[in-house]
Amino acid sequence: MKAATKLMEMETEDIRILAAVELGMKKHEMVPIKHISYFARYELEETEYRLDRVHKMGLLQRNKVGSVAYCLISEGYDILALHTLFSQGYIESVGPPLGKGKESDVYRCLTKDNEQVALKVHRLGQTSFRSIRKFRSYIDERTHTSWLYISRLSAKREFEGLKRVAKLNLRTPKPIAQNRHAVVMSIIQGEEISKFDELNDPDVHFNKIVGEYKLFFSKAHVIHGDLCEFNILLDPDDNVLIIDWPQWEDWNHPNALELVTRDITNLCTFFQKKGVESNSDEIIRDIMQLNPKFREQTKK
Ligand SMILES: Nc1ncnc2c1ncn2[C@@H]1O[C@H](COP(=O)(O)OP(=O)(O)OP(=O)(O)O)[C@@H](O)[C@H]1O
Ligand SMILES: [Mg+2]
């Protein structure tokens, strides 16, 4: 990870200037130098010197016209998250990539006790508006919906979702820490089921996944919200591991039925290609019936 290497070259004052730009971005898309100097509590001269340094490191963008102003670019934001997670002692070094999703980079890291953990860095809103649509219900009308804001929101949601399901002691990644757009979680070993040409026993896998899904729903009151063959891993012992939790919703969400329907339909469609016959309507009904509120509604 480039940001991890750059972080080693940075001085405390550089970090402080980045944090000041971040603060300024709550109100401005491009933050004027005066504001940066105010937030950093540095004289203008020191501010300019630091901004120039950090800009040369490729962590900031400077506007090309008008008075000088800056904004963070994603590597600058990575530095801030890493710096915090390092100083809080959650990670000590960042290693090779573990995977790359549509909207995230996942790295293998080491803690100060030499334990391996996964670092998932959320990257939303830079390449597509899909992610902005995804989080629309959480985005305050007044807030400008920058990539920075929705990436942080996505990480926060995932951390909360992981905490909810962790109580069940299933094989979901265990949440460890979250800062800005980054989540530290336990590493899990497994391969996405989409990558298997053949599954040893697709019926067994299918039933295990439905079984876990019911536990998520009935015991943690959570709907995954993005269940698909890319977010289900199989470990060498054929255990199923369900990952990728930023889109979870509470089981009482107004669109609970639609969300469960989408998840289960995705699952049934994938397993049908592996020869598993299933009745998705029945499974969806069984799941929804686990929620007393929904049971009441369907009685009326
Ligand atoms: N805790 C973990 N341990 C090991 N590998 C992981 C872990 N979390 C994710 N990975 C790897 O990284 C890949 C991408 O992760 P994930 O599916 O969570 O992100 P994503 O697809 O970008 O998310 P989204 O669907 O929100 O865009 C996974 O397919 C997996 O290979
Ligand atoms: Mg995924």
Side-chain angles (χ1 to χ4, degrees), residues 66-285:
S67 55
V68 188
Y70 290 88
C71 71
L72 281 176
I73 52 178
S74 65
E75 225 172 279
Y77 201 45
D78 292 355
I79 297 263
L80 286 172
L82 278 184
H83 173 74
T84 306
L85 292 168
F86 275 52
S87 52
Q88 291 172 343
Y90 290 112
I91 24 181
E92 189 144 291
S93 66
V94 182
L98 273 168
K100 191 167 170 48
K102 297 178 297 297
E103 292 170 316
S104 73
D105 295 318
V106 185
Y107 301 91
R108 187 184 293 276
C109 296
L110 279 181
T111 68
K112 59 179 177 350
D113 303 324
N114 269 334
E115 274 173 46
Q116 296 198 20
V117 290
L119 174 75
K120 177 168 171 181
V121 185
H122 291 241
R123 303 197 188 284
L124 281 83
Q126 278 164 316
T127 49
S128 80
F129 286 99
R130 192 181 80 91
S131 47
I132 293 180
R133 275 202 301 276
K134 201 157 80 182
F135 282 94
R136 185 180 286 151
S137 53
Y138 295 97
I139 295 169
D140 192 309
E141 287 290 314
R142 289 157 299 173
T143 320
H144 73 251
T145 55
S146 63
W147 57 269
L148 183 142
Y149 180 74
I150 53 168
S151 300
R152 178 163 55 106
L153 195 60
S154 174
K156 197 162 167 261
R157 288 283 301 163
E158 177 151 45
F159 191 61
E160 284 166 11
L162 288 174
K163 276 201 284 195
R164 277 221 197 184
V165 293
K167 289 180 231 139
L168 304 176
N169 269 325
L170 299 172
R171 289 184 171 79
T172 48
K174 300 285 172 285
I176 300 171
Q178 180 247 326
N179 184 265
R180 296 181 172 84
H181 59 330
V183 181
V184 183
M185 58 180 98
S186 63
I187 286 199
I188 51 175
Q189 308 285 352
E191 195 72 56
E192 295 169 17
I193 53 166
S194 61
K195 291 189 181 151
F196 289 80
D197 288 332
E198 267 182 49
L199 296 169
N200 289 340
D201 206 337
D203 281 288
V204 172
H205 294 133
F206 178 78
N207 290 329
K208 273 192 198 166
I209 298 162
V210 172
E212 288 214 357
Y213 195 91
K214 284 183 177 166
L215 290 174
F216 296 141
F217 191 75
S218 62
K219 301 261 190 276
H221 304 169
V222 159
I223 301 167
H224 184 279
D226 192 17
L227 193 72
C228 62
E229 61 271 32
F230 308 105
N231 293 333
I232 302 169
L233 313 188
L234 272 185
D235 76 4
D237 298 324
D238 257 9
N239 292 304
V240 295
L241 318 157
I242 300 185
I243 60 161
D244 204 353
W245 288 85
Q247 295 190 70
W248 72 275
E249 291 292 356
D250 187 88
W251 72 341
N252 286 328
H253 189 275
N255 298 336
L257 177 60
E258 284 87 338
L259 296 169
V260 170
T261 303
R262 194 176 62 194
D263 278 353
I264 298 302
T265 309
N266 282 346
L267 188 70
C268 293
T269 310
F270 175 77
F271 274 93
Q272 194 174 30
K273 289 182 227 149
K274 307 284 172 195
V276 179
E277 291 302 326
S278 60
N279 182 337
S280 57
D281 290 344
E282 209 169 278
I283 301 171
I284 295 160
R285 202 175 48 235

Side-chain angles (χ1 to χ4, degrees), residues 6-46:
K6 289 188 186 172
L7 180 60
M8 301 304 147
E9 297 161 21
M10 294 188 75
E11 294 166 6
T12 320
E13 293 82 357
D14 300 328
I15 302 283
R16 191 164 165 139
I17 222 65
L18 280 182
V21 177
E22 181 190 31
L23 269 174
M25 283 177 74
K26 284 194 178 154
K27 277 216 172 126
H28 300 266
E29 245 174 281
M30 298 301 287
V31 192
I33 294 196
K34 268 195 190 154
H35 292 246
I36 303 172
S37 144
Y38 170 79
F39 286 127
R41 303 213 195 107
Y42 287 151
E43 296 297 325
L44 218 50
E45 203 179 329
E46 169 80 1

